Amino acid sequence: MVYVTEDLVRRRAEHNECEIFSLEEVSLHQQDIERIEHLDRWCRELRILYLQNNLIPRIENVGRLKKLEYLNLALNNIEVIENLEGCESLQKLDLTVNFVGCLSSVESLRHNIHLRELFLVGNPCERFEGYRQFVVATLPQLKCLDGTEISRSERIRASQGLEEVRRRVAEQEREYLRRRAEEKEEARRKEAGEEEEKKERKPGFSGRWSTDINNMAPGSEENKENQELAENPKNPEVDEEEREREFWHTPCTFTPESRLEAHRHLEEKRRAKEKGKEKKPKAPRTLITADGQVLNLNEPKLDFSLTEDEENSSIVLDLAVYSKNDTPERLEVDPSKRTAIDLANIVPRQSAKAGPMEASGAAPPPATDRCSEGFVEDPDIPPLI
């Protein structure tokens, strides 16, 4: 279960320098949130609140948001419109694709005098006979319902037969609530059956207690089943694939319970996948065995082969190294001259007194002055200094 935490709200308030007390707009969609909380205390300045595509079953803890103008709760598990009387500035409410079956709960929006747009597309109440007429007549402040503008003539017609429409809506609500009670009971039984099935699938549990010795008699059905399982053991991966296929291909009604079940199933698969990706701790490397034997390790997992050369009484190692280490040139060294490398002779030595020009070689010839050619010195003229 994902909770509305201060850290979550601050991360979603980057456009407001992560300040939440002055936050006017925040998007908390697709966070798997199952309850609205804390926002009415932390973000009193909110004007726009996005909470679509979560798992919220109830509208709550928003009554203190006096400046809230737009509330988006599409794609959630809401069944009743409630607790919005305190949102005095509410102008737009989006409840698309929820499970609102109590159409009479829209009467609680009468107190929201600034409400102009309401979206109930994809809810069970939308299929009620007289749905649009009831909503238009109940909320005279509305200007647009499900994206369609409400004309003046439509509002007059809706108010004329309101009592009869209200009676039909009440009958349909009772029928819907009866079906919902059956669906909840069916979901409860299904969940209990799945829990029992999970227990039976646990390794080491055969579904039979050790005291059931009568069923283990030779020739009994239980004994035959055990023999068949021993002869034809089931592949757990195949069983998992079959259960996965059965889960997604089994028809079911679209209810808050089925939506939660699908979400939890996906969450369980995701966690199992993440657990499988966890790196196993590496075993400590053993370079020398307990009896003193030195081991050669091939950590890069390079391909190699060892070939015995009988003519030269040697063993040839053919190692497939990486391309950057694969050098076609080979250095041949005379084995009779195995001496240490003299690094001092790599760079020519310089004398301590010689400058950098002297160390590098002979000095270049002096440059000749073209203007001095043909010049004759006059002894009567003093030299220029």
Side-chain angles (χ1 to χ4, degrees), residues 9-10 13 15-26 39 41-48 67:
V9 178
R10 288 192 184 277
H15 59 283
N16 198 45
E17 298 180 354
C18 296
E19 293 181 356
I20 62 175
F21 71 93
S22 61
L23 193 61
E24 295 186 358
E25 178 180 345
V26 65
L39 294 176
R41 294 186 292 106
W42 296 343
C43 312
R44 293 288 185 89
E45 303 296 322
L46 270 182
R47 295 180 181 274
I48 301 175
K67 298 182 181 181

Side-chain angles (χ1 to χ4, degrees), residues 194 242-250 261-262 265:
E194 289 177 353
E242 291 179 358
R243 285 193 294 269
E244 187 74 10
R245 191 181 304 108
E246 181 182 0
F247 179 84
W248 292 113
H249 288 81
T250 301
E261 182 184 7
H265 180 81

Side-chain angles (χ1 to χ4, degrees), residues 116-359:
R116 296 294 180 264
E117 296 181 68
L118 176 62
F119 291 86
L120 290 172
V121 179
N123 286 271
C125 65
E126 186 196 14
R127 298 189 292 269
F128 286 5
E129 183 183 355
Y131 150 74
R132 186 175 178 88
Q133 182 180 356
F134 179 82
V135 177
V136 171
T138 303
L139 303 176
Q141 72 272 33
L142 271 187
K143 300 296 183 183
C144 183
L145 176 60
D146 296 335
T148 304
E149 186 178 355
I150 302 173
S151 63
R152 182 180 178 183
S153 59
E154 181 183 7
R155 194 179 304 278
I156 293 174
R157 291 194 303 269
S159 60
Q160 289 176 353
L162 179 59
E163 293 303 324
E164 179 62 22
V165 172
R166 183 179 282 113
R167 184 185 61 82
R168 292 200 305 267
V169 167
E171 292 177 357
Q172 295 173 87
E173 275 188 4
R174 287 193 293 269
E175 178 62 23
Y176 171 77
L177 293 175
R178 183 188 62 81
R179 292 198 309 268
R180 278 294 295 137
E182 294 177 356
E183 291 171 355
K184 290 179 181 180
E185 181 63 22
E186 179 65 24
R188 188 190 64 80
R189 288 198 299 265
K190 184 178 180 181
E191 185 177 0
E194 289 177 353
E195 291 295 330
E196 188 66 24
E197 184 180 355
K198 287 181 181 179
K199 291 180 181 179
E200 293 178 357
R201 288 204 304 263
K202 285 184 178 179
F205 183 71
S206 61
R208 183 178 56 252
W209 300 101
S210 59
T211 56
D212 298 338
I213 57 177
N214 296 330
N215 295 332
M216 294 301 294
S220 63
E221 295 182 0
E222 294 288 341
N223 195 16
K224 291 180 181 179
E225 292 179 1
N226 292 338
Q227 291 179 357
E228 292 178 358
L229 288 175
E231 294 175 358
N232 301 314
K234 294 183 179 180
N235 189 346
E237 295 183 359
V238 175
D239 291 347
E240 184 64 26
E241 292 179 359
E242 291 179 358
R243 285 193 294 269
E244 187 74 10
R245 191 181 304 108
E246 181 182 0
F247 179 84
W248 292 113
H249 288 81
T250 301
C252 66
T253 56
F254 184 60
T255 62
E257 292 78 20
S258 63
R259 191 165 180 263
L260 274 175
E261 182 184 7
H263 166 73
R264 288 167 182 165
H265 180 81
L266 292 173
E267 188 69 15
E268 184 179 349
K269 298 293 292 183
R270 184 185 64 81
R271 290 177 181 175
K273 188 176 181 180
E274 290 180 355
K275 187 176 181 180
K277 289 183 178 180
E278 292 180 358
K279 295 182 178 180
K280 297 181 180 179
K282 292 184 178 180
R285 293 191 303 174
T286 303
L287 302 179
I288 303 176
T289 60
D291 55 355
Q293 181 182 1
V294 180
L295 303 178
N296 294 325
L297 301 181
N298 184 15
E299 289 191 356
K301 308 297 181 184
L302 301 176
D303 294 334
F304 69 94
S305 63
L306 290 173
T307 306
E308 185 175 359
D309 188 357
E310 297 181 354
E311 296 181 359
N312 299 323
S313 299
S314 62
I315 296 177
V316 179
L317 171 63
D318 185 6
L319 182 63
V321 298
Y322 298 115
S323 59
K324 64 180 182 181
N325 298 328
D326 190 5
T327 306
E329 298 180 1
R330 298 290 184 271
L331 297 177
E332 296 182 0
V333 180
D334 187 359
S336 62
K337 297 181 180 180
R338 294 183 177 178
T339 58
I341 300 176
D342 187 5
L343 300 178
N345 295 328
I346 294 178
V347 180
R349 294 184 178 181
Q350 301 178 3
S351 62
K353 297 182 180 179
M357 296 297 296
E358 295 177 357

Side-chain angles (χ1 to χ4, degrees), residues 59 112 236 247 272:
I59 304 175
N112 304 97
F247 179 84

